[in-house]
Amino acid sequence: MIRVKNLRKTFLTKQGSQAAVHGAEFDVAEGEIFMLLGPSGCGKTTTLRCIAGLETPDEGEIWIGEQLVFGDRGGTLLPVYKRGVGMVFQSYAIWPHLTVFDNVAYPLVHGIYKAPKREVKGRVQKALSLVGLERFEDRPAPLLSGGQQQRVALARALVYEPKVLLLDEPLSNLDAKLRAEMRIELRALMKRLNITAIYVTHDQEEALVLSDRIAVMHAGEIKQIGTPRDIYVKPQNDVVAGFIGTANLFSASITAVPRNGEEGSVSTPIGALACPLPPSVAVGQPVTIMFRPEDVVVRASQAGPSQNSLCGVVEQAVFVGSRLQCVLSVQGHKVHCEVPKSQLVETGQSVVVEIPRHAIHLLP
Amino acid sequence: MSASTRRPGGITTANALPLAFSWLILAVVIVLLAFVLYMTFVPSLPTEPGFTLKHWSNVASSRLLTRVIPNTAIVGFGAIFVGAFFALPMAWLLNRTTLPLRATFTTMIGITPVIPGFILAMGWIMLLDERIGLLNNVAASLLGFSSIPLSVKDSPWGIAWVLGLILAPAIFFLVAGPLCRIDPSLEEAASVVGMRHLTTLRRVTLPLVWPGILGGLIYVFMTAVSIFEIPALLGAASGKVPVLASEIFYSVRPGGPLTATFAYGAAGVYGTLLAAPSLVALYVYLRVLERTERYQVITGKGYRPRETDLGGWSWIGVGFVVLYLALAVGLPLLVLLWASLMPVLQMPSREALSKLSFTNYDGLFEGLGGFGVISNTVVLVLSVSLFVSFFSFMVSWVVVRTQAQSRKLMDMLVMVPHAIPSLAFAFALAMLGILASRWLPWLPLSGTLGIIAVAHVINRMPYGTRVMNSALAQVHRELEECAQVCGTKTPTIMRTIILPLIKPSVIYLVVWTAMLSFQEVTMALFLSGPHNNVLSVSIWVLWEGGNLGTAAAGAVAMVATTGLLMFGILRLAGGPTAGLVGREVGAAPLTKSQ
Ligand SMILES: Nc1ncnc2c1ncn2[C@@H]1O[C@H](COP(=O)(O)OP(=O)(O)O)[C@@H](O)[C@H]1O
Ligand SMILES: [Mg+2]
């Protein structure tokens, strides 16, 4: 449905040129919710704006449906108003001089999505009821709360039934509780309408909950594309691992490769660890290993023989409600882990740390 | 759907319209400038062949060097001195102290520019003149002299005094802007480091604000030396105090006492002499401004500057501001009102009061030129304010809203009329008018209202674009982009989204431009013919013809109309627009708004 090829965009500023996006490449299937995730300033908005036509890329190709809307060869550039996409801006861009009804009706009254007069009212009402704002038609836009403005922006982007919806951090201006509710609601709505969406966010939780597939961006490049589970469980590099959730990352070297039912093992700064290894590795090869805090098991003392057990000292333990987040010191290195709230852990306490071998993931 | 084929990064169709209009107005500016220069190298009219340098060599003539240039210098520097004498203390009093009624005073200073300067000059002639001056008579009778030989007429110092009073508001707002915007934390930091108050002023405050102030002072200087009608009233018309502006005027419109023949080339040289230094100054100033902005020393908003509590000295401060307002506006207008009600100007007395009458007003309508002049004025004022708003909107759109490569250049070019004396533009237009009447007889230019309108529009473009730039910069970019995504094209977006959002600024600009066009004389007089007289020109002509009483009545009527219109329109337009007066009026004319 959407295809982006080798997208490049450089901004010329007084300080020099700034490569906002270089070489972004992805496909979005019909009906898919595709997430652009990355820290602030990594080029997500720029990518989205290039697709909408609000920025002109320096290089690359952009297809929407069967149509080439931008191509560096042949110099195709389809103007914004002909691209047939809906967009929700980060600022919501609600026109303050219009009422809610007039805001949502705008695309049907002016421009190329103009509808016959008699249809306008019905379609606006339908769009408003989709987002649960039926009774707010006559409200002047400045009198809306943040959440309501976000809904108006969404209704306005949906009212002309675009095939593609672009959303730029639509929930970032809401408070935490509302944000959590809206995530689920938004996903349900988009799935119900079977709309193809590109969604930009810097919030990894939002990305994991909302999306079908995620592209993790960093400094203008796409670092990995995959399903939320893939991205979380099998990050392809330390940038992705570090950005999604908390990760314990250690450089390691291979000490034994798996052979005849024996397991492979690596030596790391925190000690020797047994872990699953792909067959292609060789002894002595330097690698990076990663494991998640919630997979680490922490015990007060050694309970029988077990694999991958290390000794450590609790440096920090923070109670966050559902569990305790701890930082342990193992051989002088920090290891992040999570402990159930029922378990008592104190700063300074000596503990035994077990890292289950299937929790260890090797970064290629 | 068809894809337009254009080079990526090029100009998309969305911007074509504003770009076209912007270049149209800028092309007019450039052509006129080139034309002034061209005129200096042809013997007479460009219709006749030949090339000559004699206009330039004539610059060394003794009359110019010994009389015109010294007079012009006295007028220019004197006006700055007088203006700064009033404006600097007021800028400090009204911006950095706790003086009572500050907002009211600031607004009053802000709206004085709508009162025509030549009317104030007329008032001052009636106040300070050896023969008829009311102040002279009062002082003479108090001191027991037969007359006081002090007069604003026939001396460059008198011209400087009146111009200084008139231009003080410009200096006031030029200084007030930087004074308000200096981050007090910078000053505080300096005093913490141990600098004393004066040292702080010299080492920290002044370096931060001098570029703005310097640029502004150059602008005020150029305005002072390029105003024609006030020096003319005060002695240039009689040939006693020739200045550059009057030399240009009488070279192109003989009839004055000095030049009996046309001297277009000479006028071109004088115009260039006026224009060249200010163009250089404008360029330097814009460069300096860019550099200071990069260092971000003057921060934008969100804090209040530190204010000094004057305590018991407040009343002296209030007295100073009131004194200025009285000298600049109150006294001249009062004396004109008095003169308009007297058959012959005389001292207020019981006897004089018994002669109060409206006879001067009876003949006013005919005296001013009847219905023709009124309708000319209305058409001129309306068309100028509409065109200025339209073109300013288009230029600012390109500058603020697009990525067009030419936008920086455009922003600078549109400031050019600000530096070029209005008289030079009027001269170029007058020449074009004369040429057009020979080459393109079907194009009515010379002696029409249209030629005055063009002059006024060009003259007001710099200010118009400053107002529009700041208005457009306040409209979030995404508000417009969202409409684009919603399937609308630029013209529709301008009409349905942008204009409604910046309505207060637009109304304000329309009203303010109309007021300034209403009171403008220099260009309207320069370009006047038998059929395109406007009200301000008629009053000026009445006065020059010796009809002081009728002229005074006309002046009173004009000021009253201005006041009523301004008040009425702003009341109708409501709060947001009215709030702009006094703030926008003062926006330093040269400061960039982004
Ligand atoms: N109009 C612009 N001019 C210059 N630089 C820009 C512009 N827009 C974005 N950038 C720069 O490009 C980079 C990417 O910006 P953006 O796409 O907005 O990031 P994100 O949305 O991921 O936070 C940033 O470093 C930003 O400073
Ligand atoms: Mg962004």
Side-chain angles (χ1 to χ4, degrees):
Chain A
M1 190 67 195
I2 300 171
R3 165 169 296 180
V4 173
K5 274 190 189 162
N6 190 30
L7 185 72
R8 279 169 201 275
K9 173 75 188 172
T10 303
F11 289 109
L12 294 174
T13 60
K14 276 187 191 145
Q15 288 82 36
S17 68
Q18 160 120 31
V21 180
H22 38 119
E25 206 156 326
F26 54 84
D27 281 331
V28 183
E30 188 159 356
E32 186 179 31
I33 302 177
F34 188 81
M35 193 71 61
L36 286 174
L37 174 67
S40 171
C42 70
K44 311 179 295 287
T45 299
T46 307
T47 309
L48 201 69
R49 289 169 58 84
C50 287
I51 297 170
L54 296 167
E55 301 286 355
T56 310
D58 302 326
E59 258 181 65
E61 271 181 24
I62 300 172
W63 297 77
I64 296 178
E66 292 304 303
Q67 191 179 21
L68 180 68
V69 296
F70 173 81
D72 52 358
R73 268 163 295 153
T76 312
L77 180 61
L78 192 70
V80 184
Y81 65 92
K82 285 187 185 163
R83 293 205 177 182
V85 299
M87 185 157 176
V88 176
F89 289 82
Q90 188 167 7
S91 68
Y92 302 146
I94 304 292
W95 298 303
H97 60 300
L98 300 178
T99 61
V100 167
F101 183 90
D102 291 335
N103 261 287
V104 177
Y106 187 89
L108 303 181
V109 176
H110 308 280
I112 64 163
Y113 306 113
K114 195 180 253 181
K117 258 213 173 79
R118 64 201 140 71
E119 283 180 21
V120 172
K121 194 164 169 62
R123 284 176 65 180
V124 171
Q125 280 168 345
K126 202 176 121 205
L128 282 174
S129 70
L130 271 182
V131 298
L133 276 184
E134 297 91 338
R135 287 174 295 104
F136 290 84
E137 282 177 13
D138 300 323
R139 190 74 69 93
L143 300 184
L144 296 175
S145 72
Q148 288 164 341
Q149 287 190 23
Q150 190 266 333
R151 287 161 193 263
V152 174
L154 190 61
R156 182 180 54 192
L158 293 174
V159 74
Y160 49 94
E161 293 165 11
K163 286 199 207 69
V164 170
L165 186 62
L166 307 174
L167 305 106
D168 190 356
E169 313 218 7
L171 304 182
S172 66
N173 293 337
L174 307 182
D175 58 69
K177 193 150 186 284
L178 190 57
R179 198 157 58 213
E181 287 169 18
M182 283 302 292
R183 272 174 208 154
I184 298 172
E185 198 177 314
L186 204 53
R187 181 175 166 91
L189 177 64
M190 287 193 283
K191 284 294 158 200
R192 185 145 51 95
L193 299 176
N194 192 31
I195 203 161
T196 309
I198 299 186
Y199 189 116
V200 161
T201 184
H202 66 266
D203 181 338
Q204 34 143 331
E205 213 173 316
E206 199 167 300
L208 296 174
V209 172
L210 246 160
S211 65
D212 296 324
R213 264 185 329 139
I214 299 177
V216 181
M217 283 188 80
H218 186 260
E221 287 175 48
I222 294 188
K223 292 291 183 184
Q224 186 176 353
I225 299 180
T227 62
R229 171 167 290 272
D230 276 353
I231 297 271
Y232 190 83
V233 179
K234 289 188 257 173
Q236 276 168 9
N237 48 53
D238 49 350
V239 175
V240 176
F243 188 71
I244 312 283
T246 316
N248 292 299
L249 288 165
F250 293 103
S251 53
S253 83
I254 303 213
T255 49
V257 290
R259 197 185 306 121
N260 316 334
E262 274 185 47
E263 287 175 326
S265 66
V266 292
S267 102
T268 73
I270 54 171
L273 295 173
C275 64
L277 290 175
S280 58
V281 293
V283 173
Q285 185 183 336
V287 290
T288 304
I289 59 153
M290 192 264 323
F291 53 91
R292 299 283 181 191
E294 65 270 21
D295 294 329
V296 177
V297 181
V298 178
R299 294 202 183 85
S301 59
Q302 188 73 279
S306 73
Q307 222 175 9
N308 290 353
S309 282
L310 307 165
C311 292
V313 177
V314 179
E315 275 196 349
Q316 198 184 65
V318 180
F319 180 64
V320 294
S322 57
R323 59 202 186 276
L324 279 128
Q325 286 177 346
C326 303
V327 181
L328 310 181
S329 172
V330 179
Q331 307 282 345
H333 295 271
K334 285 195 166 75
V335 174
H336 295 264
C337 60
E338 288 183 358
V339 175
K341 62 179 183 290
S342 52
Q343 190 176 347
L344 288 174
V345 181
E346 276 165 23
T347 314
Q349 187 184 348
S350 291
V351 289
V352 173
V353 187
E354 187 190 328
I355 303 158
R357 65 182 203 89
H358 284 286
I360 298 176
H361 175 71
L362 208 64
L363 298 186
Chain B
M1 280 203 255
S2 73
S4 67
T5 51
R6 273 171 206 272
R7 287 244 37 86
I11 297 154
T12 53
T13 43
N15 298 328
L17 191 74
L19 266 175
F21 281 118
S22 302
W23 280 116
L24 175 69
I25 189 81
L26 292 177
V28 175
V29 172
I30 294 168
V31 165
L32 289 183
L33 271 185
F35 197 67
V36 173
L37 206 57
Y38 174 68
M39 284 301 294
T40 65
F41 296 111
V42 289
S44 179
L45 276 177
T47 43
E48 294 145 31
F51 171 84
T52 177
L53 288 173
K54 83 170 191 292
H55 302 307
W56 282 101
S57 54
N58 282 350
V59 169
S61 83
S62 61
R63 199 181 106 81
L64 202 66
L65 286 183
T66 57
R67 296 194 59 200
V68 177
I69 291 187
N71 278 343
T72 310
I74 293 176
V75 167
F77 287 112
I80 287 196
F81 181 79
V82 174
F85 174 79
F86 288 106
L88 295 184
M90 287 197 300
W92 181 73
L93 284 168
L94 296 182
N95 289 292
R96 299 303 289 264
T97 71
T98 55
L99 205 71
L101 293 177
R102 281 181 303 169
T104 316
F105 282 140
T106 308
T107 309
M108 285 168 92
I109 295 173
I111 60 175
T112 50
V114 299
I115 301 167
F118 75 98
I119 283 181
L120 299 174
M122 283 159 42
W124 267 101
I125 293 175
M126 291 177 164
L127 282 171
L128 206 64
D129 184 85
E130 190 173 348
R131 208 165 39 79
I132 61 167
L134 290 185
L135 291 181
N136 298 56
N137 288 334
V138 171
S141 62
L142 282 181
L143 300 173
F145 295 127
S146 61
S147 71
I148 306 274
L150 189 64
S151 177
V152 288
K153 260 188 114 168
D154 299 339
S155 131
W157 301 103
I159 301 176
W161 165 254
V162 174
L163 279 177
L165 286 177
I166 291 169
L167 293 172
I171 303 181
F172 171 87
F173 285 110
L174 273 167
V175 180
L179 261 188
C180 285
R181 274 175 295 155
I182 301 170
D183 193 333
S185 60
L186 283 171
E187 290 181 318
E188 259 152 39
S191 64
V192 168
V193 173
M195 287 195 207
R196 290 230 306 277
H197 217 74
L198 269 182
T199 323
T200 313
L201 186 72
R202 193 163 49 80
R203 299 269 296 277
V204 179
T205 315
L206 279 183
L208 293 182
V209 299
W210 77 265
I213 293 177
L214 183 71
L217 289 183
I218 294 169
Y219 163 69
V220 173
F221 183 90
M222 296 318 299
T223 312
V225 300
S226 69
I227 290 178
F228 164 72
E229 73 272 14
I230 291 169
L233 285 176
L234 294 172
S238 59
K240 292 191 181 124
V241 194
V243 292
L244 268 180
S246 61
E247 293 292 294
I248 297 185
F249 192 89
Y250 292 119
S251 300
V252 178
R253 301 183 62 104
L258 301 167
T259 33
T261 50
F262 294 96
Y264 299 126
V269 172
Y270 303 149
T272 314
L273 284 183
L274 278 182
S278 45
L279 268 184
V280 174
L282 179 75
Y283 180 74
V284 172
Y285 172 70
L286 288 179
R287 291 301 302 271
V288 172
L289 204 69
E290 212 161 77
R291 205 174 60 218
T292 36
E293 274 175 0
R294 204 176 315 145
Y295 292 126
Q296 294 278 317
V297 278
I298 295 177
T299 53
K301 49 196 163 200
Y303 66 86
R304 292 171 59 81
R306 205 156 33 123
E307 292 173 346
T308 311
D309 191 353
L310 289 181
W313 297 91
S314 288
W315 63 271
I316 294 187
V318 172
F320 187 80
V321 180
V322 171
L323 174 73
Y324 168 74
L325 288 172
L327 289 177
V329 184
L331 283 178
L333 287 188
L334 271 181
V335 76
L336 280 174
L337 182 63
W338 174 253
S340 74
L341 296 171
M342 284 286 120
V344 181
L345 183 62
Q346 55 188 297
M347 291 291 293
S349 65
R350 183 161 303 194
E351 189 211 337
L353 276 177
S354 68
K355 290 188 196 156
L356 275 182
S357 79
F358 284 101
T359 36
N360 282 327
Y361 289 88
D362 290 341
L364 185 59
F365 189 68
E366 277 71 41
L368 288 174
F371 186 72
V373 168
I374 306 286
S375 75
N376 275 350
T377 310
V378 171
V379 170
L380 175 75
V381 162
L382 287 184
S383 55
V384 167
S385 60
L386 288 181
F387 278 114
V388 166
S389 308
F390 176 77
F391 283 113
S392 301
F393 181 75
M394 288 301 170
V395 172
S396 295
W397 180 277
V398 174
V399 170
V400 179
R401 274 287 187 254
T402 68
Q403 305 294 319
Q405 267 145 17
S406 50
R407 66 201 180 99
K408 282 258 162 60
L409 177 68
M410 203 174 267
D411 200 31
M412 260 193 161
L413 271 182
V414 80
M415 292 302 287
V416 164
H418 197 73
I420 306 288
S422 48
L423 207 50
F425 270 115
F427 165 68
L429 273 170
M431 289 293 95
L432 276 186
I434 292 172
L435 290 188
S437 63
R438 306 215 172 161
W439 290 341
L440 314 163
W442 47 266
L443 182 70
L445 257 185
S446 211
T448 63
L449 214 48
I451 198 168
I452 302 181
V454 172
H456 281 186
V457 168
I458 291 175
N459 188 247
R460 297 309 304 165
M461 280 303 289
Y463 187 75
T465 48
R466 291 319 94 177
V467 173
M468 283 294 179
N469 276 1
S470 64
L472 281 180
Q474 279 162 20
V475 178
H476 198 296
R477 191 170 65 154
E478 291 186 348
L479 290 178
E480 176 212 336
E481 289 172 343
C482 181
Q484 278 180 282
V485 174
C486 286
T488 39
K489 294 189 218 174
T490 306
T492 315
I493 297 174
M494 286 179 179
R495 187 170 53 79
T496 55
I497 305 287
I498 307 291
L499 277 180
L501 286 177
I502 62 169
K503 201 164 86 188
S505 291
V506 174
I507 295 178
Y508 161 76
L509 182 61
V510 167
V511 173
W512 190 248
T513 309
M515 292 301 150
L516 290 185
S517 171
F518 185 52
Q519 59 115 301
E520 204 278 341
V521 192
T522 299
M523 290 183 285
L525 189 62
F526 197 102
L527 298 167
S528 65
H531 304 299
N532 66 352
N533 273 359
V534 291
L535 203 57
S536 55
V537 170
S538 293
I539 296 172
W540 195 88
V541 169
L542 273 178
W543 177 278
E544 279 296 282
N547 298 315
L548 301 200
T550 322
V556 170
M558 193 167 169
V559 172
T561 316
T562 308
L564 281 177
L565 278 181
M566 186 129 167
F567 183 74
I569 296 175
L570 292 182
R571 271 300 282 278
L572 275 183
T577 309
L580 285 171
V581 181
R583 253 193 307 133
E584 290 276 351
V585 167
L590 281 172
T591 47
K592 295 203 291 183
S593 46
Q594 315 126 52

